[in-house]
Amino acid sequence: MKSFIWLETTDGLIQQVEEEVAMFCPMICREVLQTSMGSSKNYAIKLPQRVNPVVLGLILDYCRFHQVAGRSNKERKTFDEKFVRLEANKLCDLISAADSLQLRPLVDLTSCAIARMISGKTAEEIRETFHITDDLTENVEAEEERVEDRSVDDLLLFINSGHEDSKGVKPAKNKKRNRRRKHHPKDPSPNIENKNHYKETDSLSSSHNSEVEDAPNQSINSMLLGYASPESDYDDELDPALKEQLDREVEDFAQRLNSVWSK
Amino acid sequence: MVYSLPEEVLEHVFSFIVSDKDRNVVSLVCKSWYEMERWCRRRIFVGNCYAVSPSIMIRRFPEVRSVELKGKPHFADFNLVPEGWGGYACSWIEEMSKAYPWLEEIRLKRMVVTDESLELISTSFKNFRVLVLSSCEGFSTDGLSAIAANCRNLRVLDLQESEVMDLSGHWLSHFPETFTSIESLNMSCLGSEVSFSALERLVARSPNLKTLRLNRSVPLGKLSTLLHLAPQLVELGTGAYSSGIRSDVYSSLSKAFLGCKEIKGLSGFWDVDLSYLPAFYSVCSRLTTLNLSYATIKSPDITKVISQCPNLQRLWVLDHIEDSGLNALALSCKNLQELRVFPSDMYAADANVTLTEQGLVSVSQGCTKLQSVLYFCHQMSNSALITIAKNRPNLTCFRLCIIEPRTPDYLTHEPLDIGFGAIVKHCKNLNRLSLSGLLTDRVFEYIGVHAKKLDMLSIAFAGDSDLGLHYVLSGCKSLKKLEIRDCPFGDTALLANVAKLATMRSLWMSSCAVSIGACKILSQKMPMLNVEVIDENGTLDSKLDSCLVEKLYVYRTVAGPRSDMPGYIWTMDRDSSSRI
């Protein structure tokens, strides 16, 4: 006679699932063994909040397939590849639920799929895919575009400054960030003092962002105007005659270039 | 609606995102991702050690396990960067020793490392595994002794091309007898003898040793001993490859190579004695990498070797290979991806070797997977370059070094503009290019228009005017590193493209036409750049704005001007131009 385990999702829906399928989930397995729950409708195992009926169905499909012993690695791989062909929202639901059920292989599979979805995209594209609001900078488009245009290897610094100096609206200096400490097995010191990350601004990062414009995207003239503009207050100790000469040369140059460049 | 993920799940997802580019993008998505990403980041690459300070890096990324830093500009390899320039690893290692107790890997390139720093590394990081010192200097075998003695879990010790003060060959003996974890050991740059018995014992007790690069002083007669102890080797660098006339050496060597079924890469080969070459023929069919750049053997002998290596992917060789050897390469090695041909004698105007552009053309024709080329030669033609470009649009790295500056097309006596123009036009994924020969501003126009994926460009003795530099700076969207020597490029182009410099890692200009006045303006306009002027001769008058600077190094940074410069280097300061 087939055995069933009774499961209850947070919306109150109770269903029965084949025992071997349900027991594939470590969390359910533990509940059954430790508390003897799940044997009848009245004693259904209450599943974690993140497991809604739809995603439970998906997870049970996964368990139903994989709990069969005889399958080859190739079969399992093919199933897995098809299984994660889901949209971003479904993947997120799935990974959250699998995580709360402690179904590690499914968490890994879904993590990998989500990572593939992220890789190669721009920040804006990622936000769109996962419906994430950008709370990093005040001046969303211009700021990001400039920051993302920059190369990245030693550019962590620019990302640092990119969001710290949001257009004159500095994050409140006393806004404490609880430094979330991930419990790392190799972590030697579990007690960390609160550090206010955003409070520490680099002195150099404060003003440059607004001045950086990506050269190739600009017309020559506007760049040159930028260079030769009267607003620069650093020119004091420069020989004015030389500066004027340089300005003129540059203007000449720009004109020559424009005529050459217009092909 | 937000598809939210619990923190530990997000962390797990991020562990699958490995490329630096993706990780940086991830940190720009939103605050919680920024926070999570910085906690999860395990590997950092800093392409210019002065672009950021150790404390900034540490503050942002508290849980790093692997750090890679680069110091001196690339032109240091050509002795253009003066002694004492900088690139000191000291402060980095000191700060990391306090902040990253779990650091496992340090990779440094073109940096100055002291014995004190090596000792600090050896005692600060309990799980230290990988030390790569590439083209570094400033340390001695004493520092290596400390590493050997204290790093219980060391997997990789790679000193490639570093300058090491060889005080004693006994540093190897400092590896304790209980130490068995080494997987890769590269000591090919060391000058003096190492204690062979210590080496032998080390190899004998290291079952995971896959890469072993010996230095020149390890005699050929002892090589077979080592090979018998390590038949699992994948990469081997021999010592001197000669041994007088000893038939027993030959036969034992040959037998030892027969026993090494895993060898895929060979290097070393100093002082080659031809009679010993066939000893390693048994591994040729499996070879994917062969570095013969120290072997002064002639073309027929080189040809005999490479025609037995059908799986060769990477070949480094001297120009002794000549066109005939390259023709053979084109026929035999269909999987070749990278070719480097080094000059045997830079100064002989009429070299004895018959290496011309034809050799490269053959290889470009026969080796369809060829992606990366470094080629030193004496003559080139536009038609050859055009042929190469059309043959190999999949080239990603093309470095041509025609030895005599400003050499024109030897057939037409024209500049090589259209030849290089063809290269950038056809090779759409080209990310690295070195120019040589007679070149006018036109070549730069082609580069600016076509080389959209170019990451690094090296220019010497080329161009007519500022227009050349302007084309490059305004056209090459992806350009990150630009190094220029002896070109008539000056203020106008530089100042017309200041914004571009902030998107690049660095710019080097030496013996060009940049004035100190322009450097001042540049520095004032772009506070996020360090504009460093090098004046070794002491002839620069900083008050005379029209005075030309000898060498200029400009790079973006958030660490401000550096304080470790010698007296002849100044950082142009926003407020004044006094020496710092």
Side-chain angles (χ1 to χ4, degrees):
Chain A
M1 195 182 84
K2 221 171 184 195
S3 287
F4 289 90
I5 306 270
W6 293 85
L7 305 172
E8 181 179 345
T9 43
T10 40
D11 56 346
L13 192 68
I14 301 176
Q15 52 186 288
Q16 56 178 357
V17 178
E18 310 95 289
E19 182 181 8
E20 64 276 10
V21 173
M23 292 289 268
F24 200 71
C25 293
M27 181 257 160
I28 295 174
C29 188
R30 205 185 56 227
E31 280 293 304
V32 167
L33 294 175
Q34 286 179 3
T35 67
S36 310
M37 293 283 278
S39 49
S40 71
K41 197 166 178 186
N42 292 333
Y43 294 99
I45 294 173
K46 290 191 168 37
L47 294 177
Q49 189 213 3
R50 291 186 251 149
V51 185
N52 64 55
V54 172
V55 79
L56 178 62
L58 275 175
I59 290 179
L60 293 176
D61 285 342
Y62 179 88
C63 295
R64 195 166 289 119
F65 180 88
H66 279 287
Q67 58 87 24
V68 174
R71 301 199 194 277
S72 71
N73 280 340
K74 187 165 183 224
E75 278 180 324
R76 292 184 193 272
K77 199 165 174 233
T78 314
F79 174 87
D80 284 351
E81 271 162 29
K82 273 203 203 117
F83 188 76
V84 284
R85 272 187 228 154
L86 299 165
E87 281 174 8
N89 59 334
K90 284 245 159 50
L91 278 178
C92 290
D93 283 348
L94 183 60
I95 198 178
S96 298
D99 178 62
S100 61
L101 293 175
Q102 293 153 4
L103 199 49
R104 187 57 183 227
L106 184 54
V107 171
D108 283 346
L109 175 65
T110 331
S111 294
C112 193
I114 296 176
R116 274 199 309 268
M117 219 179 233
I118 290 172
S119 179
K121 287 192 165 72
T122 64
E124 183 52 42
E125 286 165 353
I126 295 174
R127 274 185 230 113
E128 261 167 58
T129 310
F130 294 93
H131 287 226
I132 300 173
T133 29
D134 176 22
D135 54 359
L136 263 182
T137 56
E138 292 290 309
N139 201 351
V140 175
E141 282 130 9
E143 200 65 53
E144 279 161 25
E145 210 183 277
R146 276 188 234 124
V147 175
E148 280 174 46
D149 268 339
R150 296 173 190 144
S151 148
V152 282
D153 43 37
D154 49 4
L155 205 38
L156 44 124
L157 36 123
F158 279 95
I159 298 167
N160 209 13
S161 55
H163 81 267
E164 277 176 349
D165 97 300
S166 39
K167 291 296 161 209
V169 180
K170 299 243 184 302
K173 292 215 166 186
N174 49 14
K175 186 177 185 182
K176 280 203 185 283
R177 298 257 136 207
N178 274 330
R179 197 161 101 173
R180 205 195 316 99
R181 200 72 167 110
K182 285 297 110 188
H183 219 61
H184 201 281
K186 289 178 185 169
D187 183 4
S189 54
N191 301 315
I192 307 300
E193 76 282 6
N194 263 343
K195 248 203 199 177
N196 190 337
H197 170 77
Y198 295 106
K199 194 166 82 168
E200 294 164 288
T201 45
D202 300 314
S203 56
L204 276 177
S205 65
S206 46
S207 61
H208 67 261
N209 249 358
S210 47
E211 291 175 37
V212 176
E213 284 146 330
D214 227 333
N217 297 335
Q218 300 263 333
S219 71
I220 295 173
N221 273 336
S222 61
M223 273 185 333
L224 292 169
L225 283 172
Y227 148 66
S229 70
E231 46 91 8
S232 57
D233 48 356
Y234 305 112
D235 294 339
D236 298 339
E237 34 81 37
L238 252 197
D239 180 345
L242 174 66
K243 169 126 194 351
E244 211 178 276
Q245 191 200 346
L246 277 169
D247 282 355
R248 263 179 307 174
E249 273 178 34
V250 169
E251 275 300 304
D252 280 342
F253 192 64
Q255 278 164 22
R256 272 191 295 136
L257 280 177
N258 269 332
S259 60
V260 160
W261 207 251
S262 50
K263 46 183 169 202
Chain B
M1 188 176 87
V2 176
Y3 309 145
S4 64
L5 292 174
E7 276 173 12
E8 59 273 16
V9 168
L10 193 62
E11 183 177 354
H12 195 61
V13 170
F14 285 178
S15 68
F16 290 86
I17 299 174
V18 287
S19 92
D20 282 341
K21 193 167 192 285
D22 285 334
R23 291 205 73 103
N24 284 304
V25 166
V26 156
S27 61
L28 287 177
V29 169
C30 64
K31 279 181 179 150
S32 63
W33 282 38
Y34 174 91
E35 273 299 304
M36 175 58 71
E37 196 283 321
R38 65 180 266 267
W39 278 101
C40 299
R41 181 89 68 122
R42 299 283 176 263
R43 251 178 356 112
I44 296 283
F45 168 71
V46 181
N48 172 6
C49 66
Y50 291 116
V52 62
S53 71
S55 55
I56 293 175
M57 178 187 80
I58 289 166
R59 193 171 64 217
R60 166 112 185 247
F61 299 110
E63 294 276 337
V64 164
R65 298 281 182 273
S66 160
V67 173
E68 182 176 348
L69 305 172
K70 291 190 180 180
K72 298 184 202 173
H74 173 248
F75 267 175
D77 292 355
F78 302 96
N79 298 319
L80 285 174
V81 176
E83 275 297 304
W85 177 88
Y88 304 106
C90 192
S91 58
W92 285 89
I93 292 170
E94 266 169 28
E95 296 210 37
M96 291 194 298
S97 70
K98 291 180 233 156
Y100 293 151
W102 300 108
L103 192 67
E104 296 176 1
E105 306 181 356
I106 294 177
R107 293 176 171 83
L108 305 176
K109 187 166 185 178
R110 292 194 199 95
M111 294 192 77
V112 178
V113 185
T114 60
D115 285 342
E116 289 72 31
S117 293
L118 290 179
E119 187 161 348
L120 192 57
I121 289 174
S122 75
T123 52
S124 309
F125 308 115
K126 297 293 171 239
N127 202 26
F128 196 67
R129 292 171 179 223
V130 173
L131 181 63
V132 177
L133 301 174
S134 177
S135 303
C136 293
E137 55 174 348
F139 60 102
S140 76
T141 43
D142 284 354
L144 297 180
S145 299
I147 295 286
N150 301 322
C151 299
R152 296 293 151 87
N153 293 311
L154 196 68
R155 305 270 194 275
V156 175
L157 179 58
D158 185 339
L159 307 172
Q160 56 185 24
E161 290 175 63
S162 289
E163 264 178 53
V164 185
M165 283 172 279
D166 245 315
L167 302 176
S168 139
H170 290 285
W171 65 272
L172 259 182
S173 328
H174 288 255
F175 282 114
E177 290 302 315
T178 49
F179 173 77
T180 58
S181 54
I182 195 92
E183 293 171 14
S184 170
L185 177 60
N186 179 357
M187 45 185 217
S188 54
C189 62
L190 293 181
S192 66
E193 252 181 69
V194 282
S195 152
F196 187 77
S197 54
L199 176 60
E200 200 181 344
R201 285 195 311 276
L202 178 63
V203 172
R205 65 176 188 273
S206 304
N208 297 322
L209 188 66
K210 294 278 191 305
T211 299
L212 178 63
R213 301 208 195 274
L214 305 170
N215 66 338
R216 196 172 188 167
S217 70
V218 176
L220 192 59
K222 300 267 170 82
L223 184 56
S224 39
T225 314
L226 294 174
L227 291 180
H228 279 298
L229 292 170
Q232 76 281 0
L233 277 181
V234 176
E235 303 274 332
L236 171 71
T238 73
Y241 207 76
S242 52
S243 189
I245 306 168
R246 307 257 312 270
S247 60
D248 55 328
V249 169
Y250 179 88
S251 55
S252 52
L253 189 59
S254 180
K255 192 158 166 247
F257 270 115
L258 263 172
C260 293
K261 306 281 186 213
E262 307 293 325
I263 288 188
K264 292 214 173 63
L266 283 180
S267 63
F269 297 108
W270 288 278
D271 317 311
V272 173
D273 177 339
L274 290 174
S275 49
Y276 286 105
L277 269 185
F280 75 84
Y281 280 3
S282 58
V283 307
C284 283
S285 59
R286 265 176 268 115
L287 282 185
T288 56
T289 305
L290 183 57
N291 181 354
L292 294 173
S293 57
Y294 292 106
T296 51
I297 55 180
K298 297 276 178 265
S299 181
D301 303 301
I302 304 177
T303 302
K304 220 183 277 177
V305 171
I306 58 182
S307 40
Q308 298 180 64
C309 305
N311 289 311
L312 206 58
Q313 294 174 12
R314 186 191 300 167
L315 176 66
W316 293 17
V317 72
L318 287 174
D319 57 9
H320 289 303
I321 192 174
E322 298 188 347
D323 288 345
S324 52
L326 290 173
N327 290 337
L329 182 68
L331 284 173
S332 317
C333 305
K334 296 303 186 187
N335 289 324
L336 196 71
Q337 294 174 15
E338 178 183 326
L339 174 67
R340 294 195 194 189
V341 178
F342 295 98
S344 51
D345 187 348
M346 288 285 283
Y347 306 104
D350 211 9
N352 282 334
V353 284
T354 323
L355 181 95
T356 70
E357 79 285 3
Q358 278 317 305
L360 187 56
V361 172
S362 295
V363 175
S364 74
Q365 213 153 317
C367 302
T368 57
K369 299 189 188 166
L370 189 68
Q371 284 177 13
S372 173
V373 171
L374 170 63
Y375 200 74
F376 281 82
C377 61
H378 291 278
Q379 72 183 41
M380 187 50 64
S381 67
N382 280 313
S383 57
L385 285 171
I386 293 169
T387 308
I388 292 166
K390 289 186 174 159
N391 283 342
R392 292 279 61 77
N394 48 327
L395 283 175
T396 54
C397 169
F398 188 73
R399 294 192 278 165
L400 180 67
C401 304
I402 305 167
I403 292 169
E404 186 61 38
R406 301 197 187 90
T407 306
D409 176 327
Y410 77 100
L411 294 168
T412 64
H413 304 289
E414 306 253 292
L416 291 171
D417 299 337
I418 52 172
F420 278 106
I423 295 280
V424 292
K425 183 162 165 230
H426 291 276
C427 306
K428 304 217 188 295
N429 288 321
L430 198 69
N431 61 49
R432 189 163 177 188
L433 177 65
S434 295
L435 304 173
S436 57
L438 182 65
L439 297 164
T440 72
D441 285 343
R442 290 211 74 187
V443 73
F444 299 110
E445 188 184 346
Y446 297 139
I447 292 173
V449 168
H450 294 289
K452 294 307 183 188
K453 298 225 177 127
L454 198 63
D455 174 273
M456 181 169 178
L457 178 61
S458 307
I459 310 172
F461 302 98
D464 308 314
S465 74
D466 268 23
L467 205 50
L469 179 57
H470 176 74
Y471 283 137
V472 168
L473 290 176
S474 55
C476 297
K477 268 196 349 226
S478 312
L479 194 65
K480 295 290 173 282
K481 285 163 281 178
L482 180 57
E483 46 184 26
I484 305 172
R485 61 164 296 187
D486 295 277
C487 296
F489 298 149
D491 301 346
T492 324
L494 201 59
L495 294 176
N497 291 283
V498 293
K500 173 68 180 168
L501 296 176
T503 69
M504 290 168 57
R505 185 190 295 173
S506 66
L507 166 67
W508 169 280
M509 291 179 76
S510 55
S511 307
C512 295
V514 179
S515 73
I516 192 107
C519 292
K520 290 179 192 170
I521 297 174
L522 178 59
S523 163
Q524 288 156 6
K525 279 283 146 191
M526 307 294 282
M528 82 295 285
L529 299 178
N530 275 352
V531 179
E532 291 181 9
V533 169
I534 299 173
D535 174 39
E536 275 174 284
N537 301 324
T539 52
L540 196 58
D541 180 355
S542 65
K543 288 177 221 63
L544 194 57
D545 281 354
S546 56
C547 208
L548 295 185
V549 311
E550 182 190 306
K551 294 176 182 172
L552 174 68
Y553 187 53
V554 180
Y555 57 90
R556 66 182 170 197
T557 181
V558 288
R562 58 187 179 109
S563 52
D564 60 0
M565 296 177 293
Y568 55 79
I569 301 184
W570 324 343
T571 300
M572 291 290 99
D573 190 68
R574 253 178 289 178
D575 304 318
S576 75
S577 57
S578 55
R579 285 172 197 254
I580 291 183

